[in-house]
Amino acid sequence: MAKQKKIAKHIKESVRFTALELLVSISEKQAYSNILVNDAIKRHHLSDKDARLMTEIVYGTVGHKLTLEYYLKPFIKNPKKLDNWVKQLLLLSLYQMFYLDKIPEHAIINEAVNIAKAKSNPGIGRFVNGVLRSIQREGEPSTELIQDPVKRLSVEVSLPLWLTQRLVDDLGIDEARKLGESLLVPSHVSVRVDTRHISREEARDELIEQGLEVSLSDVSPYGLVIEKGFLGNTRLFKEGLITIQDESSMLVAPAMQLEASHKVLDACAAPGGKTTHIASFLDESQGGKVIALDIHEHKIKLVEDNAKRLHVDGVVECELLDARKVGDVFADESFDRILVDAPCSGLGLLRRKPDIKYTKTPEDFNNLQRIQLEILESVVPKLNQWGIMTYSTCTVTKEENQEVIEEFLKRHSNFELIDVVGAGTLEKSYQDKQLQLYPHHYHTDGFFISCLRRKS
């Protein structure tokens, strides 16, 4: 086995070297960027400033990968002979050169050359220097050279061609471009306020007093948007009066039209954000309860921990169960409300998890639609007459959303679509009694909600 080269500490612990290691792991092992970034920040004890820069470089390079590869391609004579780590080093350097304006280009190039020499040899250092200097001198190739408009859009917004084509088919090219461009804008953090104990305005004011930049959500009456600041040290977070949740996800529980005495089935519950929100509408003394199912044991523990932290464990009951097997456990017509927050492609989360856009395939959608319909078919006998079943996903494709509901209604004429309560003010996203939030509409995750009432 070849002896691994010892790398100087000041390089090995640098922000860009750490970013390079993560990018290599993401590209070779399909590791999740959000998990790697959080682990690296803790492992290297990065300062806030370094953590922000490292996160920006990793997310930015992954998010713009196809664009950066297009820029790099004319400057590499033998791309097949290029080691992956050298390619990742060039891409992260290009990201800094073209998308960050506070770092001088000579500093970016010097650091890339130093990393290349430290990891390999002076010859690789000269190669990296030559490529980056050439691009600096000649500039990035224009995407106008790409004749096909969909292919050009794919490169410009860094979405795989098949996915770009699908979005263009669904939305038209102008909306698909807006959506794609919005995914390249960093997401913000939002929190749900437990308004049983504190109003949104009071929570906002207290967080501002503690130095955070906070505003009221325009999407959810339970939400606050955090533009800047660390939540973990605040009293409200420690005492479980706020919890991190995307604004779009906060729309689910109100849409279910819950009453304090309701018995609710949350068929795919983990990690428990929606379960705990549902629970906040229920009253144990009136018989209110939410049964939270998940197929993974460790995720059940996560839901239980969340329920305890948010003081709703009295009405949350967790069970390890595949939602497609509820017929083995629960009697028919057991529940007043059912939530199917279905397993999905997660394309609505691309702003937070940019790496997943390169790993999905068109075949995934057909498999997922089958599973989504199987879950709906499994739980539907468990709903009381006049009960409401809510279907939601964190994705944006019609196959997983509108087409699933359309197919379900074909099979069940005793169900009708009803309004999604709370969606009326979101005019850009609400059509035909179904809420399809696209990330460029209100800068939320992509999300879908539909509510179905059983008539007989």
Side-chain angles (χ1 to χ4, degrees):
M1 181 183 293
K3 189 176 178 181
Q4 196 166 17
K5 187 176 181 183
K6 187 171 182 181
I7 299 173
K9 188 177 178 183
H10 73 280
I11 290 179
K12 196 168 185 178
E13 294 183 355
S14 69
V15 166
R16 288 167 186 81
F17 191 90
T18 304
L20 174 61
E21 286 188 314
L22 302 194
L23 289 168
V24 169
S25 291
I26 292 166
S27 62
E28 293 181 356
K29 301 173 186 171
Q30 281 78 53
Y32 289 120
S33 55
N34 56 329
I35 295 172
L36 288 181
V37 165
N38 290 335
D39 286 348
I41 290 170
K42 291 176 188 169
R43 191 170 67 252
H44 293 282
H45 305 289
L46 296 181
S47 66
D48 285 351
K49 182 181 173 187
D50 284 351
R52 280 198 297 275
L53 179 57
M54 193 270 289
T55 304
E56 167 77 52
I57 292 173
V58 172
Y59 275 69
T61 305
V62 174
H64 291 79
K65 177 185 155 194
L66 300 184
T67 314
L68 296 170
E69 286 178 342
Y70 176 79
Y71 291 165
L72 182 61
K73 190 176 178 182
F75 298 90
I76 305 294
K77 288 181 182 172
N78 296 304
K80 290 183 179 175
K81 292 184 177 178
L82 191 65
D83 284 342
N84 181 47
W85 73 265
V86 179
K87 178 184 173 183
Q88 299 305 323
L89 180 61
L90 290 168
L91 293 179
L92 76 85
S93 301
L94 292 185
Y95 175 72
Q96 294 172 83
M97 288 168 67
F98 292 128
Y99 295 100
L100 302 185
D101 54 12
K102 292 183 180 175
I103 309 172
E105 290 188 351
H106 66 83
I108 295 167
I109 296 173
N110 286 344
E111 186 138 13
V113 171
N114 288 337
I115 289 173
K117 287 195 290 189
K119 272 186 73 73
S120 183
N121 57 56
I124 295 296
R126 286 193 292 276
F127 171 78
V128 167
N129 184 60
V131 171
L132 293 178
R133 295 282 179 202
S134 295
I135 297 173
Q136 183 187 34
R137 189 170 53 250
E138 298 178 31
E140 73 273 29
S142 170
T143 54
E144 292 298 319
L145 298 172
I146 306 171
Q147 297 296 318
D148 184 290
V150 179
K151 287 182 181 174
R152 185 163 63 246
L153 179 60
S154 164
V155 169
E156 289 174 341
V157 299
S158 195
L159 286 173
L161 181 58
W162 70 267
L163 180 55
T164 308
Q165 184 66 62
R166 190 166 296 236
L167 293 173
V168 169
D169 291 344
D170 281 355
L171 302 171
I173 198 157
D174 291 340
E175 281 294 302
R177 175 177 293 282
K178 288 177 187 173
L179 193 160
E181 288 174 346
S182 80
L183 296 175
L184 299 172
V185 178
S187 59
H188 55 221
V189 174
S190 56
V191 295
R192 170 165 55 83
V193 179
D194 189 342
T195 54
R196 296 173 303 167
H197 302 294
I198 185 170
S199 71
R200 277 203 308 167
E201 290 75 12
E202 289 170 327
R204 174 198 59 191
D205 293 345
E206 181 170 331
L207 292 173
I208 289 173
E209 282 177 15
Q210 294 181 33
L212 286 79
E213 287 183 16
V214 186
S215 59
L216 301 179
S217 166
D218 293 328
V219 175
S220 166
Y222 300 92
L224 296 175
V225 176
I226 313 297
E227 300 294 349
K228 194 174 177 183
F230 181 59
L231 284 166
N233 289 333
T234 63
R235 179 188 76 85
L236 296 178
F237 188 81
K238 288 178 180 173
E239 295 184 3
L241 299 178
I242 58 173
T243 188
I244 295 173
Q245 188 174 7
D246 191 70
E247 296 164 272
S248 57
S249 175
M250 295 177 210
L251 296 169
V252 171
M256 296 174 72
Q257 304 184 40
L258 295 157
E259 295 175 13
S261 61
H262 274 161
K263 290 186 172 55
V264 183
L265 177 68
D266 186 352
C268 312
K274 299 175 199 70
T275 310
T276 52
H277 197 187
I278 290 168
S280 70
F281 289 86
L282 307 178
D283 185 339
E284 187 178 12
S285 66
Q286 297 186 47
K289 179 185 285 189
V290 53
I291 308 286
L293 309 182
D294 203 88
I295 197 169
H296 301 293
E297 192 161 359
H298 68 284
K299 291 187 176 179
I300 287 288
K301 176 76 167 51
L302 198 59
V303 180
E304 289 173 340
D305 290 346
N306 270 328
K308 195 170 290 183
R309 189 179 76 78
L310 299 174
H311 317 293
V312 291
D313 47 320
V315 293
V316 175
E317 188 176 309
C318 296
E319 292 201 25
L320 181 66
L321 185 67
D322 185 330
R324 290 170 291 186
K325 296 180 179 175
V326 295
D328 300 340
V329 178
F330 302 104
D332 286 354
E333 302 192 3
S334 299
F335 297 100
D336 303 295
R337 299 288 184 267
I338 293 178
L339 170 62
V340 175
D341 186 47
C344 68
S345 60
L347 294 178
L349 307 177
L350 289 183
R351 198 183 277 136
R352 301 179 194 278
K353 301 175 180 176
D355 39 303
I356 64 175
K357 62 188 173 185
Y358 308 118
T359 59
K360 297 292 177 189
T361 66
E363 290 72 31
D364 290 336
F365 294 93
N366 293 331
N367 292 333
L368 284 164
Q369 189 185 76
R370 176 180 55 77
I371 294 169
Q372 290 151 356
L373 283 164
E374 283 177 2
I375 293 174
L376 286 173
E377 290 296 331
S378 171
V379 303
V380 70
K382 312 305 166 189
L383 187 65
N384 287 335
Q385 188 178 4
W386 304 116
I388 296 172
M389 184 163 69
T390 299
Y391 176 81
S392 64
T393 72
C394 55
T395 196
V396 295
T397 62
K398 288 185 176 175
E399 287 99 322
E400 299 178 82
N401 296 330
Q402 290 91 343
E403 289 182 13
V404 169
I405 297 303
E406 188 179 340
E407 180 61 28
F408 177 83
L409 288 171
K410 273 186 200 170
R411 299 180 190 180
H412 298 277
S413 57
N414 60 331
F415 274 77
E416 63 180 350
L417 269 176
I418 60 171
D419 276 319
V420 177
V421 172
T425 58
L426 305 171
E427 294 177 357
K428 292 181 201 169
S429 310
Y430 193 47
Q431 287 187 333
D432 302 326
K433 296 185 178 181
Q434 297 182 86
L435 182 70
Q436 176 63 78
L437 281 159
Y438 290 106
H440 62 293
H441 283 174
Y442 299 97
H443 201 63
T444 65
D445 289 343
F447 207 85
F448 177 81
I449 303 175
S450 180
C451 293
L452 302 144
R453 177 186 282 129
R454 182 186 159 192
K455 295 183 287 185
S456 60

